[in-house]
Amino acid sequence: MTTSPDSVKHRARVVPADSAGIAEAARVLAGGGLVAFPTETVYGLGADATDARAVARLYAAKERPTFNPLIAHLASADAAKEIGRLNATASRLAEKFWPGPLTLVVPALPRCPVCELARAGLDTVALRVPAHPVANPLLRAVGKPVVAPSANRSGHVSPTTAVHVLTDLRDRIDLVLDGGPTPLGLESTILDCTREQPRMLRPGTIPRGDIEEFLGMAIADSMPVGGEAPAAPGQLASHYATRAKLRLDADSVRPDEALLAFGPSLPQGAERTAYVLNLSPNGDLVEAAANLFAHLRALDATDVHAIAVAPIPTTGLGEAIRDRLLRAAAPRP
Ligand code: AMP
Ligand code: MG
């Protein structure tokens, strides 16, 4: 590593959350940048949910060791209905609790623009419409869904002030929109609304009892999401899995396999297979993360019975990529 001016780390700028600041934040987000902004729960680290590269950079900034699906934030219930299918129960919940700290997981519509990486390859999408007086106009100005997991490094405490954000992410993000301390400090309640009876995925700010009372219906039992080990076999279904068998760390390819390559040099036998996709021809892990789920899906849509996956480095985003490949390769119940 040299110490040329180019390698000097850039520092996030902090702007007040007035109308000029919000307009600037919207421009940075639309241009693929990373912007921390206040919501009613905690500060979120925002990225354009439709831009897989921006989402990959977000994961790199947070140093998350795994690609959990992220929540798509929208300015209104109408905007949310453009990307996910709300059943009768979900529609009632949206009408009652949006805008507000409630996240609904629903089937993604075919035209859903939220990228595969943000959805971790799933056919569902998590939707939230924040009420916060900075977050909401920001989302309106961006005009696209924005993912915004908490603006901290993985394993650190969720930030409720701009200073917390800077402590963790100062040299990894583009902008912090300072709107003062966040009012709630606790994360949104997440409900799986893929069936008429909702299921609790994460307890949060809106109490379970309030939701049950409003619906006149019990919420099904909670199961940990994104935890290390699945709590029940059914939980495995919340991970993307391929139909074709995945063969990881392959140093050669068989003629009846597809190849998911990484980097400039291809494994032995690559020229004999009909299907090759490269996660990143120059070996860039951010690009590889951005392509991961879309490439897996494309190769899985061919008629091959197995996909050989070239070795992926264990550094940086490589850890999260390898984690998801392992999960995708795990036997299904
Ligand atoms: P965070 O963005 O840090 O608030 O965390 C997002 C939470 O939403 C994680 O617990 C995810 O596992 C969960 N989540 C997001 N999308 C989905 C989905 N499609 N299905 C199930 N859980 C989801
Ligand atoms: Mg967090």
Side-chain angles (χ1 to χ4, degrees):
M1 268 301 195
T2 64
T3 49
S4 71
D6 279 355
S7 69
V8 172
K9 288 174 173 173
H10 83 246
R11 298 199 143 202
R13 282 185 317 113
V14 182
V15 295
D18 52 18
S19 57
I22 289 173
E24 180 176 3
R27 274 195 303 275
V28 174
L29 282 170
L34 301 181
V35 177
F37 62 92
T39 72
E40 62 264 57
T41 55
V42 300
Y43 271 75
L45 180 56
D48 176 354
T50 69
D51 179 345
R53 242 177 185 280
V55 175
R57 285 185 56 225
L58 182 152
Y59 273 107
K62 280 183 65 76
E63 288 180 42
R64 271 210 183 165
T66 180
F67 298 129
N68 285 331
L70 301 174
I71 298 169
H73 295 71
L74 297 131
S76 68
D78 282 347
K81 286 174 186 168
E82 289 293 309
I83 69 182
R85 193 170 64 245
L86 276 60
N87 63 21
T89 308
S91 295
R92 287 181 64 206
L93 290 169
E95 181 140 340
K96 167 78 176 168
F97 294 103
W98 280 354
L102 178 68
T103 296
L104 304 178
V105 173
V106 302
L109 290 173
R111 64 173 182 274
C112 173
V114 175
C115 67
E116 297 257 9
L117 180 60
R119 288 191 279 139
L122 300 175
D123 295 323
T124 52
V125 63
L127 303 173
R128 176 176 160 204
V129 178
H132 190 276
V134 172
N136 196 277
L138 172 64
L139 293 165
R140 207 165 287 279
V142 178
K144 296 197 254 189
V146 170
V147 291
S150 55
N152 53 275
R153 292 195 202 184
S154 189
H156 292 200
V157 176
S158 292
T160 55
T161 66
V163 170
H164 295 166
V165 175
L166 288 171
T167 307
D168 257 24
L169 298 173
R170 188 190 301 276
D171 51 7
R172 303 171 176 213
I173 66 178
D174 299 301
L175 198 70
V176 181
L177 200 50
D178 186 355
T182 55
L184 301 176
L186 188 67
E187 266 119 352
S188 65
T189 305
I190 306 182
L191 294 180
D192 174 351
C193 288
T194 51
R195 310 199 180 144
E196 285 305 330
Q197 185 193 22
R199 192 161 61 92
M200 181 67 74
L201 294 179
R202 180 177 75 190
T205 297
I206 298 187
R208 178 192 194 105
D210 289 10
I211 300 169
E212 291 182 329
E213 192 181 336
F214 166 72
L215 287 178
M217 186 196 311
I219 295 173
D221 269 346
S222 161
M223 287 197 285
V225 169
E228 277 318 299
Q235 188 65 2
L236 282 172
S238 69
H239 298 308
Y240 175 74
T242 48
R243 166 199 58 83
K245 227 174 131 43
L246 288 185
R247 199 160 64 77
L248 306 184
D249 289 314
D251 53 12
S252 66
V253 192
R254 300 164 193 154
D256 56 346
E257 288 180 324
L259 169 63
L260 185 63
F262 174 82
S265 61
L266 300 186
Q268 248 183 9
E271 65 291 343
R272 282 182 292 149
T273 171
Y275 308 106
V276 180
L277 286 176
N278 201 323
L279 288 171
S280 172
N282 25 353
D284 171 6
L285 286 166
V286 172
E287 182 181 25
N291 286 330
L292 177 64
F293 291 103
H295 279 12
L296 275 176
R297 240 177 227 271
L299 292 178
D300 205 27
T302 66
D303 55 5
V304 296
H305 72 94
I307 302 169
V309 182
I312 310 287
T314 52
T315 51
L317 279 179
E319 189 189 357
I321 295 173
R322 294 180 65 88
D323 170 79
R324 278 292 146 174
L325 285 167
L326 274 173
R327 289 170 195 255
R332 315 239 81 201

